[in-house]
Every structure is written in structure tokens, then in C-alpha cells.
Amino acid sequence: TAEFSTALGERRQVALPDGSVIDLNSRSRVQVRYEQDLRHIELSEGEAMFSVEHDTRRPFVVASGSGKITVTGTRFDVRRDPAETRVVVEQGTVKVQGRDAADNEFVSLVAGTGTRVDAKGFVTAAYAVNPAELTAWRSGKLVFNNASLSEVAAEVSRYREKPLRIGNE
């Protein structure tokens, strides 16, 4: 059991005992709990990239907001915002479901796809994404395509002590 977090503007890489690695973005917090038959991670705030060591005997489960992501070995990004959780897969496959969903109620993601889980646990259908753009934060970059000024300001504010404010629409 352990907890890891990052402060404003900080990024951190955490190596776990099974060989998995977590890259934490700015203002992020995870709790790690390994059991005999389960590797459980709670993303309570922020964003994290998970590089999971393959282990079919111990699934790797990330809980975030009203959603959960289950894998045995892959590379994926999870971002928790107040209203939703976004999941993007860079390599491998993951199973995304609402936290209270039945085992057979899930959306399967493969590399280059993503989904969102809303506050009520509804998971959207898989859609195409560019993982390199959405995980550019790992190299200190932010990439925006067809984003509104308010979306850009909100994202940049995650890395600033004082948030950016837009005067009008």
C-alpha cells in the first residue's frame, strides 16, 4: 500500500514492485494497493499514464471517479476531471466500465482509441484518438487541435498557480 502525488507543475515517475510504472501529471494523486490476486490503483485526482507489467493472475484495476479500467498488461492514460474520467489507450487493450456495472457491461478499447465515463458511470462508445497528442504532457508539451479558447485556458490553468480567465465568449 502506498500513495503518490504531484504538486502544481510537477511530473513524477513511480516504479511499482511488479515492474509496472506510473507517470503522474501535475496536481495528481494515486493510491496503490497490491493484494495476492489484484493490483488496485485509485486515481483520486489528476492524470496518470500507466505502463502495466503483464500478469494474468493479478489484474491491474484503476478506479477513477465513477469508472474503472481493468487490464493485465498494456499502456494507457487516465485523466480524472470533476465531471468525467477520460481513458486513452496507447498500446494493448483495456476494459472500461462504470464502477457499479455488471462484469459483462463494459467498453473494450484498443490502441488508438479512447472513451469517457461520466459522473453517473455511463461509458461512451470507443472513439479514435491520437494518443501522442493526448499524452504530450509527459514531455512537457500541450497539444490543442480544434479546441476552444476556454478549453485551452482550463488546461493551461492546471499548470499555473493562478488560473487563466477568459473575459467573454
Side-chain angles (χ1 to χ4, degrees), residues 91-107:
Q91 179 182 358
T93 60
V94 303
K95 178 173 79 171
V96 181
Q97 57 194 146
R99 205 178 271 219
D100 298 325
D103 284 344
N104 64 346
E105 297 174 346
F106 62 88
V107 170

Side-chain angles (χ1 to χ4, degrees), residues 26-43:
S26 176
R27 294 182 175 175
S28 298
R29 179 179 316 280
V30 295
Q31 294 83 32
V32 178
R33 188 179 80 241
Y34 276 24
E35 299 172 10
Q36 186 174 1
D37 59 347
L38 180 69
R39 299 172 288 173
H40 184 266
I41 311 294
E42 175 81 29
L43 177 63

Side-chain angles (χ1 to χ4, degrees), residues 101-117:
D103 284 344
N104 64 346
E105 297 174 346
F106 62 88
V107 170
S108 185
L109 299 180
V110 297
T113 62
T115 189
R116 296 179 185 276
V117 184

Side-chain angles (χ1 to χ4, degrees), residues 12-161:
R12 180 178 181 191
Q13 187 172 79
V14 177
L16 300 177
D18 67 343
S20 298
V21 176
I22 302 173
D23 289 300
L24 293 171
N25 198 354
S26 176
R27 294 182 175 175
S28 298
R29 179 179 316 280
V30 295
Q31 294 83 32
V32 178
R33 188 179 80 241
Y34 276 24
E35 299 172 10
Q36 186 174 1
D37 59 347
L38 180 69
R39 299 172 288 173
H40 184 266
I41 311 294
E42 175 81 29
L43 177 63
S44 55
E45 100 182 79
E47 183 171 16
M49 175 67 126
F50 298 91
S51 300
V52 179
E53 195 66 30
H54 185 74
D55 186 347
T56 54
R57 294 174 297 114
R58 288 192 324 166
F60 192 95
V61 178
V62 177
S64 176
S66 60
K68 69 179 179 179
I69 303 95
T70 305
V71 302
T72 56
T74 192
R75 187 169 173 82
F76 64 101
D77 186 82
V78 180
R79 176 172 170 158
R80 182 172 179 178
D81 290 320
E84 67 182 13
T85 293
R86 182 198 72 203
V87 182
V88 171
V89 177
E90 184 176 277
Q91 179 182 358
T93 60
V94 303
K95 178 173 79 171
V96 181
Q97 57 194 146
R99 205 178 271 219
D100 298 325
D103 284 344
N104 64 346
E105 297 174 346
F106 62 88
V107 170
S108 185
L109 299 180
V110 297
T113 62
T115 189
R116 296 179 185 276
V117 184
D118 71 13
K120 294 181 181 179
F122 174 76
V123 182
T124 64
Y127 55 87
V129 296
N130 183 334
E133 288 181 3
L134 295 173
T135 62
W137 60 267
R138 293 174 39 236
S139 59
K141 298 175 186 173
L142 298 175
V143 178
F144 300 98
N145 286 306
N146 299 315
S148 68
L149 185 56
S150 62
E151 290 170 324
V152 172
E155 182 63 22
V156 170
S157 293
R158 294 184 70 224
Y159 301 89
R160 298 173 43 92
E161 196 165 314

